[in-house]
Amino acid sequence: MAIKRAKVENFRSFQNLDVNLEDFNILIGPNASGKSNFIEIFRFLRDIANHGLGNAISNQGGIEYITNINIGAAKHLSMQIVTDEKIGFGLKKDKTFFGLRSDEVIYDFAIEFAEDGKNFEIFKDSIELKCGVFELEKISGARDQLKDKTKIGDTKISITNRAGKLNYKLAQKKDLPIRSTDIFPPFFRDSLPARTLMIEMPVFTFVTPVESMFVDIPIYDFDPKLPKKAIPFTAKSDLEEDGSNLALVIKRILEDERKRRKLLNLMNDFLPFVKDLRVEQFAGRYLIFTVCESYSENNYFPASLMSDGTVNVTSLIIALYFEEDPFVIIEEPERNIHPYLISRLMSMFKETSKEKQIIVTTHNPEIVKYADINDLLFISRDCDGFSCIERPFDRKEVKAFLENEIGIEELFVQNLLGS
C-alpha cells in the first residue's frame, strides 16, 4: 500500500498543502522551510493510530503548536490521505458469489478548536473506498476458492463518524445487485468514544489496513554513536528509529542463513572491505556487534571502533531490505557517507522503492545530482511564511535550465529551484 496524495490545512507551517507522492520522494529545501513539519504530518497520524487523538496533539506540543502560528484556532486542522490500498472481500447473494475490491481509499478528518484554543472536537471523520464489483466463480476442483468471472460495475463504500455515531453507506446503483444491508450486518460497530477518530480503532475488518499503515510508519534519524554501545538482550527486536538496537537486529538476521548471506552481500557491495559481521555477548546480558575487514585476517573489532559511515550504511541496509514496513521515512540518510558512495546509495533507494514507499529529506547536492528529477519535492516558504511544496520538474524555468545542461544539483546549490 502506498500513499498517493496528502492534503493538509492549518498544520504547523502549512496553511494549505496538496501534494502527490511517488514510490520514491526526495524532500529538499532551505533551512527552516518546513521539511521537518512535513515529516511531522506522518508522525501525527502515527501517534493518533497508536495513542489516540488527544495524546497525539499533546505530543506535538498542544493545540498552540500543532496549528499554524498565524491561523491558530480560527480554522479547522484537517488532513486527507489517499492510498492505493487493495482491500478485497466477498459475499454470497441469491446463490451467486460477489467480490468487492478497492483501488483507492480516502481517509479524511478535521478537528475544530474552541475559541480559547484549549479544547477540541472532531468536526469530520470519514473513510471512503472506491471499489470494483466482480461476479465470482468457483475454481474447478478447488475447495472454497473463487476467482473473478467478470466485472459488473463500480461503487463506493463510505463510513462517517458523526459525534461518535458511525454511519455506513454503499453507493446504490440500479445495475448492481448488492445493497448496503448485504455488506453491513447489524453487528458492525455503531459508535465510538467521544473525541475518537476511526483510525484509532478499526470499525470493521476490511478497513483495518488504513489504521495499520499509520501505526507502522518508521521515521528513521540514525545516530551512528548509539549503535556502537552495548545493548541488553531485552531491547526491541525491530530496528529503532535512531538505530540504537542495531546489534540485536543484526543478531536476528544472522540467525537465518539466507538473510545472513543477503546482508553480507549487500554490505560487500556497498563497502567491499567488510568480510563478515558477528554479534558477541559479554557481561552475561549485553550484545555488541563486531566486524571483520579484508585488511586483517580473522580479527573482529567492536562497533565502538567502526567509522560512523560504516554504522550508518549498515543501519540503512537493514531499514530498507530487512524491515517490512510498507512506508518508510529517512532523515538525511547520506550523513557520514563519502560523496563517492552517494550514487550507490541512490541506486539502493530506487531498488527498494519498488517494494516500499520511501521519503527522504536531505540538504546534500550529491543526492540531488543522482536523483531522478521526477522524484524531487522542493519545499519553501512564501511571502506570508507558509510552507509550500512543488515538483521542480513542473516549472518551465527549471526545464529551461536543464535543457541548457545546467545540473539540477547546481540549481539547488544556487537556491534557484524555488518559485
Side-chain angles (χ1 to χ4, degrees):
M1 176 169 65
I3 294 177
K4 297 167 57 178
R5 185 181 184 186
K7 294 179 66 176
V8 175
E9 294 184 5
N10 192 21
F11 179 82
R12 288 184 167 252
S13 60
F14 296 101
Q15 179 186 35
N16 292 290
L17 172 68
D18 189 350
V19 60
N20 294 319
L21 297 177
E22 305 296 336
D23 293 335
F24 183 32
N25 307 271
I26 305 170
L27 187 64
I28 59 175
N31 291 326
S33 57
K35 291 187 296 295
S36 295
N37 290 335
F38 181 71
I39 300 305
E40 286 302 314
I41 293 170
F42 303 100
R43 194 187 307 275
F44 182 52
L45 289 166
R46 186 182 68 181
D47 285 349
I48 293 173
N50 282 292
H51 310 298
L53 179 57
N55 289 325
I57 292 175
S58 295
N59 289 343
Q60 292 287 329
I63 294 172
E64 179 182 0
Y65 295 102
I66 195 173
T67 54
N68 185 273
I69 193 170
N70 293 320
I71 300 174
K75 186 178 179 181
H76 298 151
L77 183 161
S78 67
M79 293 188 178
Q80 181 187 94
I81 305 296
V82 182
T83 78
D84 65 356
E85 172 64 17
K86 303 295 187 289
I87 302 172
F89 55 98
L91 58 94
K92 184 178 181 181
K93 183 177 181 180
D94 299 329
K95 298 183 180 181
T96 301
F97 291 96
F98 296 98
L100 284 80
R101 187 167 60 244
S102 71
D103 52 30
E104 185 174 272
V105 179
I106 303 171
Y107 181 61
D108 202 346
F109 73 89
I111 307 165
E112 63 178 351
F113 305 101
E115 291 184 3
D116 59 10
K118 297 180 180 180
N119 294 300
F120 67 90
E121 297 293 339
I122 296 172
F123 178 77
K124 181 181 182 181
D125 187 24
S126 68
I127 297 174
E128 180 179 277
L129 293 83
K130 296 182 178 179
C131 300
V133 182
F134 302 82
E135 184 177 337
L136 308 177
E137 64 179 356
K138 284 191 174 182
I139 298 175
S140 178
R143 182 179 179 182
D144 299 329
Q145 291 190 36
L146 302 168
K147 67 176 182 179
D148 292 352
K149 179 179 179 181
T150 181
K151 184 176 181 179
I152 59 177
D154 295 288
T155 190
K156 293 180 182 179
I157 296 173
S158 61
I159 311 98
T160 57
N161 169 22
R162 295 193 179 104
K165 178 68 175 178
L166 294 177
N167 297 284
Y168 302 87
K169 183 179 180 181
L170 175 73
Q172 305 292 173
K173 295 187 176 181
K174 294 181 180 179
D175 57 336
L176 294 180
I178 300 173
R179 297 291 177 263
S180 290
T181 52
D182 297 324
I183 63 173
F184 300 128
F187 59 78
F188 274 1
R189 181 192 294 274
D190 62 359
S191 63
L192 294 175
R195 296 184 179 182
T196 300
L197 293 170
M198 284 189 281
I199 59 169
E200 297 180 45
M201 47 180 64
V203 292
F204 48 83
T205 304
F206 55 78
V207 175
T208 301
V210 179
E211 172 264 353
S212 64
M213 182 174 188
F214 298 141
V215 167
D216 298 322
I217 298 177
I219 303 173
Y220 293 115
D221 188 3
F222 296 124
D223 181 346
K225 299 292 188 295
L226 298 179
K228 296 182 180 184
K229 300 178 181 179
I231 61 167
F233 274 104
T234 54
K236 180 182 175 184
S237 60
D238 294 330
L239 185 62
E240 293 281 6
E241 293 183 346
D242 57 9
S244 57
N245 68 333
L246 186 60
L248 185 61
V249 177
I250 291 175
K251 179 178 184 298
R252 182 195 69 197
I253 292 171
L254 296 181
E255 289 170 349
D256 183 314
E257 183 57 30
R258 182 184 62 82
K259 291 181 178 180
R260 178 182 178 277
R261 289 195 303 269
K262 180 179 179 180
L263 175 59
L264 290 176
N265 287 338
L266 289 165
M267 290 289 294
N268 191 253
D269 185 38
F270 211 111
L271 304 171
F273 56 84
V274 174
K275 288 176 58 179
D276 195 18
L277 291 173
R278 286 182 182 174
V279 176
E280 298 182 4
Q281 178 180 350
F282 71 98
R285 51 192 288 270
Y286 291 95
L287 298 174
I288 192 167
F289 80 95
T290 62
V291 65
C292 177
E293 295 183 348
S294 58
Y295 310 121
S296 61
E297 286 297 322
N298 294 307
N299 297 315
Y300 288 77
F301 58 89
S304 58
L305 300 180
M306 294 180 197
S307 72
D308 289 354
T310 298
V311 174
N312 204 49
V313 166
T314 307
S315 300
L316 285 168
I317 287 174
I318 290 175
L320 292 173
Y321 289 95
F322 295 91
E323 298 293 302
E324 297 180 354
D325 310 289
F327 182 75
V328 176
I329 298 171
I330 305 178
E331 299 208 60
E332 299 185 30
E334 76 286 352
R335 233 179 259 149
N336 305 302
I337 296 177
H338 192 278
Y340 174 75
L341 294 174
I342 297 299
S343 62
R344 177 67 190 101
L345 176 66
M346 293 301 292
S347 295
M348 187 168 67
F349 279 127
K350 291 174 184 178
E351 179 183 12
T352 52
S353 67
K354 298 175 184 177
E355 304 296 329
K356 60 177 66 181
Q357 191 173 22
I358 300 171
I359 295 177
V360 302
T361 65
T362 186
H363 289 286
N364 193 309
E366 287 294 307
I367 291 278
V368 178
K369 176 181 178 180
Y370 290 104
D372 185 327
I373 191 172
N374 294 303
D375 295 330
L376 294 176
L377 291 169
F378 184 79
I379 186 167
S380 59
R381 292 283 188 97
D382 64 17
C383 58
D384 294 316
F386 297 116
S387 294
C388 307
I389 295 179
E390 60 181 342
R391 292 196 177 272
F393 191 66
D394 292 337
R395 296 185 57 223
K396 293 180 180 179
E397 300 92 333
V398 172
K399 291 181 181 179
F401 278 123
L402 297 178
E403 288 170 358
N404 286 280
E405 299 183 355
I406 298 177
I408 187 69
E409 74 279 7
E410 181 64 22
L411 298 179
F412 175 53
V413 170
Q414 297 299 326
N415 201 27
L416 296 174
L417 290 179
S419 301

